[in-house]
Amino acid sequence: MKDNCVLWLSGKKPKTDEVACFNNESLYLKHAKDLYLDGLTEAPEIIFIDFVNYPNIVNDWVKNIHHRFPVTPIIVIVESSQSQLASDALSCGAVDYLLRPFSCTQLLTSVRNARFMLKNMQDMVAVSQASQKVLRLANRAAQTNNTTVLIQGESGTGKEKLAQFIHQMSARRDKAFVAVNCAAIPDNMLEAMLFGYAKGAYTGAVNAAAGKFELANGGTLLLDEISELPLELQGKLLRVLQEREVERLGSHSKVSLDVRVIASCNKDLRELVSQGAFREDLYYRLDVLPLCWPALRQRMEDVIPLVQYFIRKYGEDRYYLSDSAREVLMSYDWPGNVRELENVIQRAVVMARGMELQAEDLGLPLQQLNRDEKCLQHTRKQAEFDYIYDLLQRFNGHRSRTAEALGMTTRALRYKLAAMRKNGIDIDAIA
């Protein structure tokens, strides 16, 4: 099937003006009355489902097509009175919908958005249903202009990558994408970093400087590790989000903002709110469009595609996986998530003695390779603690090198070590 083929599944042929729209885009239109997916050897670029007279079967079709071609964008066509059908289709795997009657411009816009999403998904490496569901929700979130998005997930899952995907899929894609790690900036500098400052605002402020909000104006601002934002700054951030304007430190003039804010964290903000460590009003301001990026162990179908992506990144397609390496990768629990997987593949490419990556090249701990045996001996948490303890011993208690090997930040490692101490593990005994 041609790369630019659009499959139109409908009980009737597309209208003449609809066909002309596709021809103007140099798209090859294939019409089919029946669902003949078993006869397709290659995936179409885009699939339209136009069965407005048979609403009861649309969702089944979407599910079947999405299962067969998980990457191909599916667009459903519904009547204006079938809003619930459109919503259900999006939940089943469709990326967009069109309401009849629609214009040629609306049809082409839908096609271009689907093609643009397909292009940007190439770097996301999302094969599992869990990942695909999050990407579809992220794509819908991107179509809104100012709505705040909250991304939650474990450290190393790729939350910043997902934020960049939302930015690239939005109308703000040609403007700046600015990321701020709230956990990496000292508290006494964070306010000036976010909001900017006027000349003479404090000792050493010899020149005025714009903050991250101003630098991201017109584009997207990612507030990573938002849970680490000090309480006194949370109130100021809330005011900026509400008023859509920012005032630099030491200045009385205000700057109007047109910026989408995406916040991310690896903690449960609801739990922090209940503990009084995070403002409830700020939480509800951020939690408008919530997304949860699953841990890698919850989407194991993504492991091998991610490995192949990292092999291309670090090995330029010169390396391939042995069966033993593939088995090891699929048996491991990945406590450090995608960041740990990337480090493992980068190390394997360096350590490999040939073009075929072997299990020993991965450098993963043997006690974690057999999932069934491990479950009999330890709980998942205990196995993770054992692995961290072994790495600490290997690096003589060096926290930074251990965190790097785990594929996590030193701050995240400190939380792990605190949990290990609570479980009676003597971390301080390691030199």
Side-chain angles (χ1 to χ4, degrees):
M1 187 170 288
K2 298 182 180 180
D3 291 339
N4 58 346
C5 175
V6 173
L7 181 61
W8 189 284
L9 294 171
S10 175
K12 55 184 179 181
K13 291 185 177 181
K15 298 179 181 178
T16 303
D17 58 341
E18 293 170 349
V19 175
C21 286
F22 289 114
N23 291 338
N24 292 337
E25 286 288 298
S26 299
L27 290 168
Y28 172 70
L29 183 63
K30 176 73 175 178
H31 170 247
K33 291 184 178 180
D34 301 316
L35 188 60
Y36 69 111
L37 297 182
D38 291 338
L40 294 178
T41 57
E42 297 180 20
E45 184 178 6
I46 302 171
I47 297 178
F48 282 87
I49 298 181
D50 180 18
F51 273 80
V52 294
N53 295 328
Y54 305 95
N56 294 332
I57 66 172
V58 170
N59 289 339
D60 290 335
W61 280 44
V62 173
K63 291 177 183 178
N64 291 335
I65 294 172
H66 183 63
H67 178 74
R68 178 68 185 276
F69 303 118
V71 178
T72 301
I74 302 171
I75 302 171
V76 295
I77 298 175
V78 298
E79 299 284 1
S80 57
S81 60
Q82 297 174 316
S83 57
Q84 185 59 48
L85 177 61
S87 178
D88 293 342
L90 292 174
S91 300
C92 292
V95 301
D96 201 0
Y97 64 90
L98 282 172
L99 295 177
R100 283 199 183 277
F102 52 83
S103 65
C104 182
T105 300
Q106 291 173 315
L107 178 61
L108 290 183
T109 299
S110 182
V111 170
R112 289 164 183 164
N113 287 340
R115 297 179 103 179
F116 191 80
M117 178 182 178
L118 192 61
K119 178 182 177 182
N120 282 274
M121 281 180 62
Q122 293 175 357
D123 287 337
M124 291 303 296
V125 191
V127 176
S128 69
Q129 290 187 2
S131 299
Q132 287 283 322
K133 182 178 180 180
V134 174
L135 283 190
R136 291 196 300 271
L137 291 173
N139 180 51
R140 299 300 300 174
Q143 306 314 309
T144 64
N145 190 36
N146 293 319
T147 308
T148 305
V149 179
L150 176 62
I151 304 174
Q152 299 190 80
E154 293 182 9
S155 179
T157 50
K159 297 186 290 295
E160 182 170 348
K161 194 84 171 177
L162 184 61
Q164 291 173 340
F165 172 79
I166 294 173
H167 174 72
Q168 289 298 324
M169 290 302 302
S170 73
R172 300 176 179 271
R173 66 180 69 97
D174 295 327
K175 302 296 183 179
F177 175 86
V178 178
V180 180
N181 188 334
C182 299
I185 303 172
D187 293 352
N188 60 345
M189 296 178 58
L190 191 53
E191 183 175 3
M193 181 75 71
L194 288 175
F195 308 133
Y197 54 88
K199 180 179 178 180
Y202 56 86
T203 303
V206 294
N207 293 304
K212 297 298 184 180
F213 271 95
E214 289 184 65
L215 295 176
N217 217 354
T220 303
L221 175 65
L222 170 64
L223 297 176
D224 194 17
E225 303 295 356
I226 189 69
S227 58
E228 303 302 316
L229 195 68
L231 276 171
E232 58 268 21
L233 276 185
Q234 292 179 22
K236 296 181 180 181
L237 173 61
L238 176 64
R239 183 171 182 82
V240 170
L241 295 178
Q242 289 175 335
E243 303 298 331
R244 292 287 172 178
E245 58 185 19
V246 66
E247 185 177 303
R248 294 183 184 181
L249 290 176
S251 173
H252 297 292
S253 60
K254 297 181 179 180
V255 178
S256 297
L257 295 175
D258 174 24
V259 60
R260 180 207 289 276
V261 173
I262 301 178
S264 67
C265 64
N266 59 10
K267 297 180 181 179
D268 187 346
L269 285 187
R270 283 183 178 272
E271 181 65 25
L272 293 180
V273 169
S274 66
Q275 296 172 2
F278 199 86
R279 290 181 61 123
E280 185 176 21
D281 47 5
L282 178 58
Y283 167 72
Y284 287 118
R285 173 64 63 175
L286 296 172
D287 192 42
V288 179
L289 286 175
L291 297 174
C292 184
W293 204 213
L296 187 55
R297 62 182 173 275
Q298 297 171 329
R299 47 187 175 108
M300 293 298 289
E301 301 95 326
D302 291 341
V303 170
I304 299 304
L306 280 167
V307 168
Q308 294 167 341
Y309 173 82
F310 291 134
I311 286 177
R312 290 192 299 271
K313 180 177 179 179
Y314 296 110
E316 300 177 355
D317 282 334
R318 293 180 297 166
Y319 298 91
Y320 57 94
L321 288 174
S322 66
D323 291 340
S324 62
R326 188 180 295 265
E327 181 179 350
V328 165
L329 290 164
M330 293 301 295
S331 300
Y332 186 58
D333 263 349
W334 302 109
N337 292 296
V338 179
R339 186 184 293 122
E340 182 187 9
L341 176 61
E342 181 175 5
N343 291 343
V344 165
I345 298 305
Q346 188 175 8
R347 178 171 63 239
V349 168
V350 174
M351 300 300 295
R353 289 155 292 182
M355 295 298 100
E356 186 176 46
L357 300 182
Q358 303 294 333
E360 54 267 26
D361 297 329
L362 301 173
L364 292 174
L366 294 177
Q367 66 266 31
Q368 294 232 351
L369 299 185
N370 189 309
R371 181 176 297 173
D372 295 331
E373 179 182 350
K374 178 181 58 185
C375 289
L376 292 173
Q377 295 177 352
H378 300 287
T379 64
R380 176 177 292 165
K381 185 178 293 294
Q382 186 60 48
E384 179 184 356
F385 288 168
D386 290 346
Y387 179 37
I388 295 174
Y389 191 90
D390 290 343
L391 283 178
L392 276 171
Q393 287 184 316
R394 184 188 306 175
F395 295 116
N396 297 320
H398 197 286
R399 303 298 200 260
S400 297
R401 294 177 64 187
T402 302
E404 183 179 357
L406 287 167
M408 62 175 61
T409 64
T410 54
R411 181 184 291 269
L413 177 61
R414 286 200 298 271
Y415 291 127
K416 297 288 186 183
L417 297 182
M420 291 169 68
R421 289 190 182 95
K422 288 182 179 180
N423 281 265
I425 300 175
D426 189 5
I427 301 299
D428 300 322
I430 303 175

